[in-house]
């Protein structure tokens, strides 16, 4: 049986029954102010035509490119919600099909790119820069960094209606390996201090340093088993994928 009800229609069902369908996201933090975090997009996705609709996120890096992880690009299309503090109520909504999904050639890496219809930037919508080649060794350890998502701070909790953010700090992989021994070199961690971190549904969202220029330094990948337990959160490091991003999108900075 083919999926005949579009994701655009399902957004109304999600907004009406979010407490049943959407699990918790950012743990700790504050409600984002209007016209901030304009680079973040909500992504509605499914694992099959019979599965429930789930929430993910992505980050705008140019007028036509969103970066996320492959875990939200499972079905034949996704729905991208631009320019809203609500994940399923963007003032621009675009269905994007799988021919516009680009995966890293190393299948062990989860980073992915999505080519979207051209988006004109305004006060609601903008991109965030990726690091330049000269900064590829910079791991931004201790830098002021923000993570954002739609939800509260415990597994299975009821998500709030509005985007929430938390200020965290990147830590070294050596420190993070005390919690996650199998950490890969192209992964990065942010501290779980003050019980701040990611939770269910945040996958694909952004890790942005705001110490100096706003800079996308990571993409949210894995959460701790206990979102409020103070454990570090794991992300994919952008600076270890700059050549691949340039090859696919042509985007690079010197």
């Amino acid at each position: 049986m083919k999926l005949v009800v579009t994701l655009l229609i399902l957004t109304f069902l999600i907004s009406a029954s979010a407490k049943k369908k959407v699990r918790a996201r950012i743990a700790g933090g504050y409600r984002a102010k209007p016209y901030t975090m304009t680079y973040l997009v909500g992504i509605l996705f499914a694992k099959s035509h019979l599965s429930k609709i789930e929430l993910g996120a992505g980050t705008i890096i140019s007028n036509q490119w969103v970066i996320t992880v492959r875990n939200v690009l499972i079905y034949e299309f996704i729905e991208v919600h631009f320019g809203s503090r609500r994940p399923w109520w963007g003032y621009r909504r675009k269905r994007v099909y799988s021919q516009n999904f680009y995966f890293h050639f190393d299948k062990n890496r989860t980073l992915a790119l999505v080519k979207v219809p051209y988006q004109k930037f305004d006060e609601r919508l903008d991109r965030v820069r990726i690091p330049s080649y000269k900064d590829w060794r910079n791991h931004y350890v201790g830098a002021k960094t923000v993570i954002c998502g739609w939800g509260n701070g415990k597994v299975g909790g009821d998500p709030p209606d509005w985007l929430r953010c938390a200020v965290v700090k990147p830590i070294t992989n050596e420190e993070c390996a005390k919690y996650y021994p199998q950490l890969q070199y192209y992964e990065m961690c942010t501290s779980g201090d003050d019980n701040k971190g990611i939770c269910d549904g945040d996958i694909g969202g952004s890790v942005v340093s705001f110490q100096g220029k706003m800079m996308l330094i990571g993409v949210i990948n894995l959460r701790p088993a206990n979102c409020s337990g103070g454990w570090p959160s794991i992300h994919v490091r952008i600076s270890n994928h700059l050549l691949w991003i340039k090859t696919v999108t042509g985007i690079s900075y010197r």
Side-chain angles (χ1 to χ4, degrees), residues 175-187:
E175 184 177 354
C176 192
K178 297 175 183 177
Y179 301 86
Y180 305 104
Q182 301 303 315
L183 201 67
Q184 301 296 321
Y185 76 92
Y186 51 81
E187 295 175 318

Side-chain angles (χ1 to χ4, degrees), residues 125-227:
L125 189 67
D126 205 351
R127 54 94 165 151
V128 63
R129 281 185 53 148
I130 60 173
S132 64
Y133 283 128
K134 68 180 180 181
D135 289 330
W136 74 273
R137 292 180 181 272
N138 186 352
H139 289 181
Y140 296 90
V141 173
K144 292 180 180 179
T145 301
V146 63
I147 53 177
C148 297
W150 293 274
N152 68 10
K154 61 181 180 180
V155 175
D158 294 336
D161 292 330
W162 300 99
L163 179 66
R164 294 183 63 82
C165 299
V167 176
V168 295
K169 65 177 182 179
I171 59 177
T172 65
N173 281 24
E174 289 75 19
E175 184 177 354
C176 192
K178 297 175 183 177
Y179 301 86
Y180 305 104
Q182 301 303 315
L183 201 67
Q184 301 296 321
Y185 76 92
Y186 51 81
E187 295 175 318
M188 61 169 289
C189 295
T190 49
S191 160
D193 292 350
D194 301 320
N195 293 330
K196 295 179 181 178
I198 62 173
C199 201
D200 292 350
D202 267 312
I203 193 163
S206 58
V207 184
V208 173
S209 169
F210 59 94
Q211 189 162 305
K213 293 180 179 179
M214 297 283 284
M215 191 74 64
L216 180 68
I217 62 173
V219 174
I220 294 171
N221 190 32
L222 295 173
R223 65 161 177 81
N226 181 354
C227 299

